Amino acid sequence: MVACVFGIPQGLNSLALQNSVYHQADPARIGSSAGLLRTFTYLGAMAASCANGVLFSHRADTAGLHRLAWFMLAAAVGFLVLTVADRSLSSLTRGDRS
């Protein structure tokens, strides 16, 4: 039951990300865009696996969960700073692509 509760949204999330790539990427770059999506999905999974291994060390406990939460917060702030500092995003237009 737990696998269904967590697995179904994860599957729908993957479909949504792939559909957004196909909708937003230039037709000449669909293949490379899909490859980048898959590459960064795998890199994120590897980083999460490493973080779980390091922060939970020998057993899963409340202290490890708190360390993981702080790590995730730091990563989120880092990605927010990178996004805000990215000047190339201001050159994108919000045209209707439907």
Side-chain angles (χ1 to χ4, degrees):
M1 189 58 139
V2 172
C4 287
V5 168
F6 289 113
I8 290 172
Q10 181 62 32
L12 293 175
N13 186 30
S14 297
L15 286 173
L17 286 172
Q18 199 161 17
N19 282 332
S20 68
V21 166
Y22 292 148
H23 179 72
Q24 295 177 9
D26 293 330
R29 295 185 178 144
I30 290 280
S32 59
S33 297
L36 285 170
L37 171 66
R38 184 61 61 197
T39 298
F40 283 99
T41 300
Y42 286 136
L43 285 174
M46 287 186 279
S49 178
C50 289
N52 283 334
V54 168
L55 298 172
F56 284 117
S57 59
H58 299 293
R59 64 189 178 105
D61 57 0
T62 304
L65 189 62
H66 289 186
R67 288 189 301 266
L68 184 62
W70 282 111
F71 173 77
M72 290 172 59
L73 181 64
V77 168
F79 286 127
L80 179 65
V81 168
L82 285 174
T83 302
V84 170
D86 187 359
R87 295 180 160 245
S88 68
L89 293 175
S90 64
S91 66
L92 298 176
T93 60
R94 297 192 73 174
D96 186 21
R97 300 186 129 222
S98 55

